[in-house]
Structures are given as C-alpha cells and as structure tokens.
Amino acid sequence: MDRNELIRKIVDEKGVEAIPVLMELLRKEDDETAQICLDALAQIGEEGRKALINELKHIEKEQVRNDITVLYIVDKLGEIRETRAVPTLYSLLQLYDNEDAQVVIYEALAKLGEGERIVDVLTLLLEEAQTLEFIDQLIMALSHTKSIKGLKALVKLYSKAGLDKGTKAFVLEGIQIMLMDRPEFKDILGTLQKGDEILEKLYFWRRENEKK
C-alpha cells in the first residue's frame, strides 16, 4: 500500500476517530510516519486542523523549548495555509534557540500572509548566513514573502560575486515562486541589477520545462 492510499484509508475508514492515535504517532514515530500522520490530519478536515493548532498552543502554554515535532506541524500548517495558527507561531519563535528552526517558523508565517512583517528579519539573516544549507533555507522563506524587499534580497544574493552555481539556481527557483505569486513583480525585477539576466534565464527555464 503506497503512502497516498494509506492516508486515504485512514481518512475514509477512521475519520475523526483516528485523531488521538495520529497525534500520538506523530510524536513517537520516524519522520516518514510523522509526515503520513500530518497529511492524514490535514485531510480529515476541521477537527484534524484544530488538533494540530491545539498541539502548538499546548507547547506555547507549557513553554517547551526546541521541540522538533512542533516544526513538522508548523511546516504543515503553513503548507495548508491555516492562518488561525499565526498568533501562536509568533509566540513559538522565542522557544527556539537555533536560527534554522526559527526560519522554519518564519517560512510558515510567510506562507500565511505575514511576509511584509518578517522580510526584514529574513533579509538580515541572509546577509549574515555562513552555510549553504542555511542560505538555501532562507531563499525558500524569502520566496514566499510576496514582498518587494524579499525580491530585492534574492536579486542581491544572485548578483553576489563568487556565488556557486547551485545556489544561483536555487535563487532563480525562489524568484520564480515569487513571480508566480506576484506577477506584477516582473516589471520591478527588470529594473534591478542583473534583473534582465534573471528574466532571460527564467524564460529559458520555463521553455525547457514545457518541452519535458
């Protein structure tokens, strides 16, 4: 039984009755099982989403620090655009000592419409980032901000001397995501340093994908 079939089986046969077990497995099992639980909870609907939000509120109330499972939940709530989680996400930021974990929360907030409020923090983190992995994480978070400041930060990174090809390609992917959300940014991009080059690369990138 593949993953999607398993999720459908859980949702169709158990529905809301499966929520307590899914929440327990979410904490106790491996990453793959956790993702299956999250997908099932999201597909169950309102009660499943409430269970995820309530788990975050419990962590906030108990002030549990650096909880990894919470980051899985945060990522899923951002993915399904569950805006009711926004106030709790801001509170959770203070419970994480690691900037990588904080960026998971910032990215979810960006997906939930908070891009303009958090773009300055993400831009500052990008300017100070040292590792390629952290830079890639920040690129994705910025790509969801739907912010001109976010666009300019990505273009500035793309224009940085000595930037490796892999990171440049990831920046292009981030800018493409942003342009899909905000097509009007295309005109602004054309006025920025290397903007025309980026637009040209994105054009050929789309053409190549259309041929596949």
Side-chain angles (χ1 to χ4, degrees):
M1 185 181 299
D2 67 20
R3 173 175 168 169
N4 291 333
E5 186 179 350
L6 175 59
I7 293 168
R8 283 196 300 271
K9 186 177 178 65
I10 294 170
V11 174
D12 293 342
E13 294 186 6
K14 296 295 184 180
V16 295
E17 294 179 5
I19 290 175
V21 175
L22 290 170
M23 292 301 299
E24 184 177 356
L25 290 174
L26 179 58
R27 285 208 163 273
K28 291 184 176 180
E29 297 297 328
D30 56 64
D31 291 354
E32 184 177 356
T33 303
Q35 291 299 332
I36 291 172
C37 292
L38 286 168
D39 288 341
L41 285 161
Q43 290 185 32
I44 284 170
E46 177 66 12
E47 293 304 317
R49 293 180 178 216
K50 279 185 179 179
L52 293 174
I53 294 171
N54 287 338
E55 179 66 14
L56 296 189
K57 289 181 177 179
H58 171 73
I59 295 297
E60 176 192 10
K61 181 180 178 181
E62 298 298 322
Q63 292 290 289
V64 179
R65 301 193 65 82
N66 303 311
D67 189 299
I68 299 301
T69 302
V70 165
L71 297 179
Y72 287 116
I73 297 173
V74 166
D75 185 60
K76 175 56 67 174
L77 292 175
E79 179 186 323
I80 63 177
R81 304 301 192 263
E82 182 49 78
T83 56
R84 289 175 295 182
V86 167
T88 306
L89 295 189
Y90 277 113
S91 298
L92 290 174
L93 282 167
Q94 65 182 327
L95 298 179
Y96 287 87
D97 303 317
N98 188 291
E99 288 181 340
D100 296 60
Q102 291 173 358
V103 172
V104 173
I105 300 174
Y106 280 126
E107 182 173 347
L109 284 167
K111 290 177 179 177
L112 297 175
E114 297 293 300
E116 289 291 353
R117 292 186 63 184
I118 64 173
V119 66
D120 289 337
V121 175
L122 292 174
T123 300
L124 180 61
L125 289 171
L126 182 62
E127 290 174 353
E128 298 176 348
Q130 298 295 319
T131 68
L132 291 177
E133 184 178 358
F134 191 42
I135 290 171
D136 286 350
Q137 192 181 0
L138 287 162
I139 290 168
M140 279 298 101
L142 281 163
S143 74
H144 293 290
T145 59
K146 301 180 183 179
S147 162
I148 293 174
K149 287 183 179 180
L151 176 65
K152 289 180 177 179
L154 292 177
V155 172
K156 182 179 179 181
L157 176 61
Y158 180 89
S159 305
K160 186 176 180 180
L163 190 69
D164 70 280
K165 290 183 179 179
T167 302
K168 272 197 170 186
F170 209 53
V171 173
L172 287 173
E173 183 178 343
I175 292 173
Q176 176 66 13
I177 290 171
M178 188 172 283
L179 293 181
M180 289 174 66
D181 287 331
R182 299 292 296 271
E184 67 272 22
F185 282 6
K186 182 178 178 180
D187 293 335
I188 298 170
L189 177 57
T191 68
L192 302 177
Q193 181 184 11
K194 291 191 178 288
D196 288 338
E197 177 184 321
I198 292 170
L199 286 169
E200 183 178 2
K201 286 183 179 295
L202 290 176
Y203 172 76
F204 285 113
W205 192 5
R206 286 194 299 271
R207 289 289 299 273
E208 287 300 316
N209 287 334
E210 288 170 0
K211 293 177 183 178
K212 294 179 181 179

